[in-house]
Amino acid sequence: MNSLFSVKGQVVVITGAGGALAGSVARHLAAEGAIPVLLGRNLEKLEAVASAIRSATPEAVCLPLSADVLDRQALESVRARVLQEYGRIDALINGAGGNMPGATISPEKTFFDLDPAAFREVLDLNLTGTVLPTMVFGEPMNAASRGSIVNFSSVSATRALTRVIGYSAAKSGVENFTRWLSVDLAKKSSGGIRVNAVMPGFFLGDQNRALLTNSDGSLTDRGNTIIRQTPFGRFGEAAELHGAFQYLLSPASSFVTGTVVVVDGGFSAFSGV
Ligand SMILES: NC(=O)c1ccc[n+]([C@@H]2O[C@H](COP(=O)([O-])OP(=O)(O)OC[C@H]3O[C@@H](n4cnc5c(N)ncnc54)[C@H](O)[C@@H]3O)[C@@H](O)[C@H]2O)c1
């Protein structure tokens, strides 16, 4: 293996690791020799990812631990356990997040019908749910002056996607936080800690399947609009995110901080014309 892209031996805390995208990234990193700490609310889902890791790579090491990303105490318990087990945290991937139906403006409604409580909830999960784990797991990285933090953005962070008002605001916040923290920690760690984000385009998963596909597998109107706007003419596959995460955790990106790596089949580049 070329050491330029090596993640071997890195202890990587991954939030939302029971989910479609972060779970797939966790499996890949484990196969590459990293030690993923699988964090999420549902221990059963995390155990399933852990057993997929072990059956694909019997020598792989991983640690499933449940915690809510909005519960600081639970995150601190996870941190204590990880430090006891491995003595360090090398990287953090903030994968917990997603849209919530209440914070969405459906076609028959207007912005003025928005439920402020649902709006706050989606901001909390995606933005506070990125900031809090970064505070907790970033602390040992800060003490060691080395580490890599990678957040999940979305194409909705920079472009107006109809309906998803709360999610878009939250992901814009995640991008801004990525840049802010990259500068702050770069100065304080002499470049030892890097903070970046990955912006996935559209990947089919449990959260958006009903919005983008019908029960017979055909595309909904929204699904068709997205595919028309994606020059590659298809949704992404989770495995197509692996390289971006591996790059941002590896020595190949040693001078890269405050950036957003876009993995969207051309969605953001295309004017639609
Ligand atoms: N799927 C896409 O097309 C897409 C596109 C752009 C960005 N994203 C982002 O990628 C990330 C992963 O998305 P996904 O599609 O894999 O979603 P997913 O729903 O499959 O995974 C998200 C995981 O986060 C966990 N989670 C939710 N709330 C939590 C909490 N409070 N504490 C701990 N864990 C919690 C869920 O249980 C789930 O396992 C999210 O941030 C999402 O916003 C997804």
Side-chain angles (χ1 to χ4, degrees):
M1 168 73 195
N2 181 345
S3 63
L4 188 60
F5 290 96
S6 174
V7 291
K8 204 169 166 49
Q10 282 196 33
V11 177
V12 186
V13 176
I14 305 176
T15 75
L21 301 185
S24 180
V25 170
R27 291 197 298 275
H28 171 72
L29 294 175
E32 291 292 312
I35 302 170
V37 175
L38 310 168
L39 188 155
R41 281 177 309 186
N42 182 334
L43 192 57
E44 239 172 72
K45 275 177 37 187
L46 302 175
E47 296 283 9
V49 175
S51 65
I53 286 175
R54 291 184 197 113
S55 57
T57 318
E59 68 277 16
V61 181
C62 64
L63 182 62
L65 293 172
S66 70
D68 189 310
V69 289
L70 296 174
D71 180 344
R72 185 170 184 157
Q73 258 188 339
L75 294 171
E76 285 175 350
S77 302
V78 167
R79 177 179 66 190
R81 175 76 201 283
V82 176
L83 292 177
Q84 179 192 31
E85 196 85 23
Y86 306 114
R88 65 186 194 286
I89 293 171
D90 299 304
L92 168 67
I93 294 174
N94 282 306
N99 189 30
M100 287 174 182
T104 299
I105 308 291
S106 52
E108 66 285 2
K109 297 221 163 134
T110 75
F111 162 69
F112 305 100
D113 299 313
L114 176 67
D115 172 0
F119 182 78
R120 258 186 230 114
E121 210 182 330
V122 82
L123 277 184
D124 234 20
L125 169 61
N126 289 279
L127 182 53
T128 314
T130 294
V131 173
L132 259 186
T134 304
M135 290 175 74
V136 171
F137 299 109
E139 210 171 76
M141 293 185 211
N142 193 40
S145 288
R146 55 184 294 278
S148 174
I149 296 165
V150 188
N151 299 323
F152 266 92
S153 182
S154 152
V155 289
S156 66
T158 50
R159 314 195 62 184
L161 295 194
T162 56
R163 303 192 192 190
V164 291
I165 176 172
Y167 181 69
S168 306
K171 290 298 189 184
S172 288
V174 168
E175 280 209 10
N176 184 279
F177 170 64
T178 301
R179 283 188 282 275
W180 188 92
L181 192 67
S182 72
V183 171
D184 187 68
L185 291 182
K187 285 172 177 281
K188 290 173 185 158
S189 69
S190 308
I193 303 181
R194 299 178 298 102
V195 187
N196 292 285
V198 171
M199 180 194 283
F202 289 85
F203 291 68
L204 267 190
D206 292 344
Q207 281 194 37
N208 56 13
R209 186 168 283 108
L211 205 60
L212 305 182
T213 59
N214 299 309
S215 48
D216 63 0
S218 62
L219 293 174
T220 59
D221 284 351
R222 191 172 177 85
N224 264 315
T225 307
I226 287 164
I227 295 301
R228 268 201 309 277
Q229 174 66 31
T230 305
F232 277 15
R234 62 174 175 86
F235 297 119
E237 300 287 338
E240 293 175 303
L241 289 173
H242 295 174
F245 281 92
Q246 180 164 354
Y247 162 67
L248 290 172
L249 297 191
S250 73
S253 61
S254 59
F255 198 50
V256 177
T257 200
T259 68
V260 180
V261 176
V262 180
V263 185
D264 71 350
F267 181 95
S268 310
F270 187 31
S271 68
V273 176

